[in-house]
Amino acid sequence: MAGLRDRLSTAWNTLLPLALALLIVGPSLPNAALGEVPSTLAQWQKKISVVQTWNMYAPDPTRAHTYLAVYAEFQDGRREALVEAEQAQSGWGTTWAWRKTRVDIWRYYAVLNPDKPNNNRLWYLRSLCVREALAREEPPRKIVAERVRRRFTPPDRVLAGKPGLGPVDRKPLATVDCKTWPVRDMLADARARHG
Amino acid sequence: MTLESAGPGGGAGDVAEGAGREGHGAKDSRGRLARLRDALLTGREDPAALGLLRIGLVAVFTASLLSHVGAVAEYFSAASPLAGQYARQAFPTRWSLFFMIDDPLAVQAIFAAGVVAHLLWLVGLFTRPAALFSALVWVSMVGRNPLLYAMPDQLHSALIVWLALMPTGRGLSLDARWRGKGGPVPVWCRRIVHLQLAVMYTSTGLAKHGATWKSEGTAIYFSLVSPYNRHFDLTRALAMLQPYVLRPITWLVLAWEVGFSGFVLAHWLRERWRKIPDMRWLFLGFGVAMHVGIQMMMYVEWFTPMTLASYLAFLRPDEVRRLVRRFSRQ
């Protein structure tokens, strides 16, 4: 019995670490050499939110920062700046952990790839229709987003007397109509849940 | 596999045949493959090192978890602006318990149970179920809305899942002290953490092929001047330091990251061939300085405590025992 237990323990302690090593290293291996294996391993892990794509500040750190500025437009044509727009206005100084929320990370993803479709942005703006409709009596008709970008001045130009951040550059990013599907249904569900 | 003085708590004398330094001198008649397997994976070691790693990492996991307090329902339940079938539609590749249970009170109760599980895991009481439940709660949080999480949390997710699969409660734990669940642990456990760090650093280093990391050497300058996460606005001072300090550091960081896998390999080989120099102070010392520097200068969530805690995986059991003895004398 003890011999069987030892053998099972040895098998477990051999196969488990080998499987873990494969999951850790596998997704980084080249697809060209191994076909679909690396991407299949990555998909399996992604299901449980383990992702082995490591590219912090790569290939380069960003040379500019972009904020997502968002406005709510109402039936009567009124336009109101939301908290995102205020952040885009004032977020050019310094920051500390206690001023950050996890939603800042979503906003960061939402503003990436401004010239391409971005599902992260789409779902963020849709969720803003819901957030704002629940927060006030009159729901917004549209959510309008723009990107607000400032470049970082290279060190040689800073030494030559230029300011550390370039001028503010604003560009329209996306508009979501809060009365179309699926936002309309999201809002109906949310209202039913919140009574 | 025999163990010397393998008491319930796993004594300092626990040794592994063929598992490295301690195995020298024991005549082993088994095949080369079995010896290699033992040296790499199945050999046993004193559980103190894995126990200390558990305490370090789970302390950081717990702090990271507690930083969600106050926003749990807003992030993960039906009270979120993105909820129900629409949340599942937005994140179709993910699994989360909170896709199935989304009542705000129930989600908050599961989160609270997750906090309790983390604390039990931290002290090593009912360690295995506590670890598995802790990992389940964290994975569910990230899966429910992965866009609330960034690269530092990615390391958290990987380490919490791997650590939950290890026998982390056998040393420096209440399970060992009160419930007689102590004993040696396989050597693969700490090596998986080494491997995860090696893949993280080296992959990142190899991906840094842009001009700011290579010809210009301005990557650290640009990282430190971003108003998104800088703690201080030191742009002018950093520009002055760029040619003499930041540029050499940029190249050094890149070389260190790419070289980390080599360090881990040398560290593993050193357990067999003691002629290989111990480079832990050099490599991990640089890592500590780099991460502490990053933490002082910018907001990077829990990345610095997480990586520094994971460096505990490089301490040998005898070193941990010495540390524990010194600590308990004080």
Side-chain angles (χ1 to χ4, degrees):
Chain A
M1 195 62 187
L4 176 66
R5 196 183 303 157
D6 273 355
R7 277 203 293 278
L8 284 174
S9 165
T10 302
W12 171 256
N13 284 311
T14 306
L15 295 176
L16 177 63
L18 288 177
L20 295 184
L22 184 68
L23 290 171
I24 292 168
V25 179
S28 306
L29 298 175
N31 270 319
L34 294 160
E36 295 299 308
V37 175
S39 54
T40 305
L41 288 172
Q43 279 167 16
W44 287 351
Q45 290 185 80
K46 198 174 180 183
K47 198 78 187 160
I48 53 161
S49 294
V50 176
V51 178
Q52 295 287 347
T53 306
W54 304 103
N55 52 10
M56 294 84 86
Y57 298 96
D60 282 301
T62 181
R63 291 167 185 253
H65 184 65
T66 309
Y67 278 111
L68 179 74
V70 188
Y71 305 87
E73 279 190 7
F74 296 89
Q75 200 66 43
D76 57 8
R78 209 162 24 93
R79 195 182 219 219
E80 192 177 302
L82 302 184
V83 63
E84 288 80 1
E86 285 162 25
Q87 190 179 39
Q89 183 76 30
S90 61
W92 302 103
T94 59
T95 193
W96 289 90
W98 51 88
R99 283 194 228 143
K100 293 276 190 185
T101 75
R102 290 213 164 257
V103 180
D104 288 322
I105 299 171
W106 193 355
R107 289 176 191 150
Y108 175 83
Y109 291 129
V111 86
L112 294 176
N113 301 318
D115 304 321
K116 295 178 188 166
N118 176 342
N119 266 334
N120 301 335
R121 174 160 61 240
L122 187 62
W123 282 107
Y124 185 71
L125 297 179
R126 285 170 174 169
S127 78
L128 289 193
C129 282
V130 176
R131 186 188 80 186
E132 294 305 316
L134 293 177
R136 60 189 78 231
E137 293 206 345
E138 185 192 3
R141 188 173 59 92
K142 278 182 186 171
I143 291 289
V144 180
E146 63 179 20
R147 69 185 180 100
V148 181
R149 179 180 164 90
R150 293 182 79 177
R151 288 186 167 279
F152 309 154
T153 311
D156 51 336
R157 288 197 212 150
V158 169
L159 286 180
K162 298 271 184 201
L165 295 171
V168 176
D169 174 36
R170 291 176 181 272
K171 279 190 179 159
L173 191 61
T175 300
V176 166
D177 187 334
C178 298
K179 296 205 182 303
T180 57
W181 185 88
V183 188
R184 197 181 49 220
D185 295 357
M186 285 168 71
L187 192 48
D189 279 7
R191 281 199 170 121
R193 279 194 302 269
H194 287 79
Chain B
M1 190 170 307
T2 56
L3 292 165
E4 292 173 12
S5 60
D14 288 350
V15 294
E17 283 182 341
R21 189 179 61 82
E22 300 93 338
H24 287 276
K27 181 87 176 162
D28 193 343
S29 59
R30 295 167 310 151
R32 186 176 290 179
L33 201 62
R35 288 203 304 271
L36 181 68
R37 186 199 59 212
D38 259 11
L40 286 174
L41 306 170
T42 52
R44 307 285 184 96
E45 66 176 16
D46 181 321
L50 187 62
L52 185 65
L53 178 64
R54 181 200 81 236
I55 291 168
L57 280 175
V58 177
V60 183
F61 296 158
T62 309
S64 174
L65 187 76
L66 288 173
S67 70
H68 291 75
V69 169
V72 173
E74 179 199 334
Y75 290 165
F76 310 118
S77 79
S80 164
L82 181 58
Q85 57 167 309
Y86 305 103
R88 285 194 291 276
Q89 214 172 309
F91 311 116
T93 58
R94 305 297 180 116
W95 178 88
S96 171
L97 187 61
F98 301 136
F99 285 144
M100 291 163 261
I101 301 168
D102 70 352
D103 176 74
L105 204 60
V107 168
Q108 285 169 318
I110 291 170
F111 176 84
V115 172
V116 173
H118 274 73
L119 294 173
L120 287 173
W121 193 10
L122 180 66
V123 298
L125 186 60
F126 303 107
T127 311
R128 187 54 73 101
L132 291 172
F133 188 72
S134 299
L136 177 87
V137 170
W138 177 259
V139 162
S140 292
M141 288 162 61
V142 180
R144 172 60 178 75
N145 188 345
L147 300 176
L148 300 175
Y149 296 88
M151 204 64 85
D153 304 300
Q154 199 173 304
L155 181 63
H156 183 157
S157 299
L159 289 176
I160 199 170
V161 172
W162 309 150
L163 204 67
L165 296 171
M166 298 174 191
T168 53
R170 291 193 192 160
L172 303 185
S173 68
L174 295 180
D175 275 344
R177 181 168 286 206
W178 293 349
R179 301 176 67 224
K181 300 272 186 183
V185 294
V187 294
W188 65 262
C189 299
R190 289 187 302 119
R191 292 211 171 122
I192 286 294
V193 177
H194 299 163
L195 183 68
Q196 181 61 77
L197 287 173
V199 166
M200 178 185 78
Y201 283 130
T202 302
S203 301
T204 307
L206 293 174
K208 288 174 174 170
H209 48 71
T212 59
W213 285 103
K214 303 239 165 132
S215 56
E216 290 178 18
T218 50
I220 289 183
Y221 168 83
F222 282 117
S223 306
L224 295 178
V225 299
S226 173
Y228 179 70
N229 51 6
R230 67 182 171 189
H231 285 156
F232 312 101
D233 183 359
L234 301 170
T235 309
R236 196 160 171 78
L238 293 170
M240 287 165 70
L241 290 173
Q242 168 57 29
Y244 316 107
V245 180
L246 297 187
R247 181 178 291 152
I249 292 178
T250 300
W251 292 332
L252 210 53
V253 165
L254 183 61
W256 177 85
E257 284 188 331
V258 173
F260 200 89
S261 287
F263 156 66
V264 167
L265 187 64
H267 180 70
W268 289 350
L269 291 173
R270 190 175 178 274
E271 293 190 3
R272 269 316 215 190
W273 292 289
R274 305 294 289 176
K275 283 182 183 168
I276 296 172
D278 185 354
M279 292 184 287
R280 287 179 301 168
W281 285 110
L282 181 68
F283 261 82
L284 301 180
F286 184 90
V288 170
M290 181 185 78
H291 284 294
V292 169
I294 290 171
Q295 186 69 51
M296 283 165 57
M297 296 297 286
M298 57 206 282
Y299 166 71
V300 283
E301 298 184 61
W302 295 92
F303 195 54
T304 294
M306 190 86 63
T307 46
L308 298 190
S310 62
Y311 286 2
L312 293 172
F314 288 93
L315 287 177
R316 289 196 312 265
D318 59 302
E319 292 168 328
V320 173
R321 283 284 167 202
R322 271 206 303 277
L323 275 175
V324 170
R325 270 199 298 272
R326 192 176 301 168
F327 184 72
S328 52
R329 269 203 300 270
Q330 290 168 356

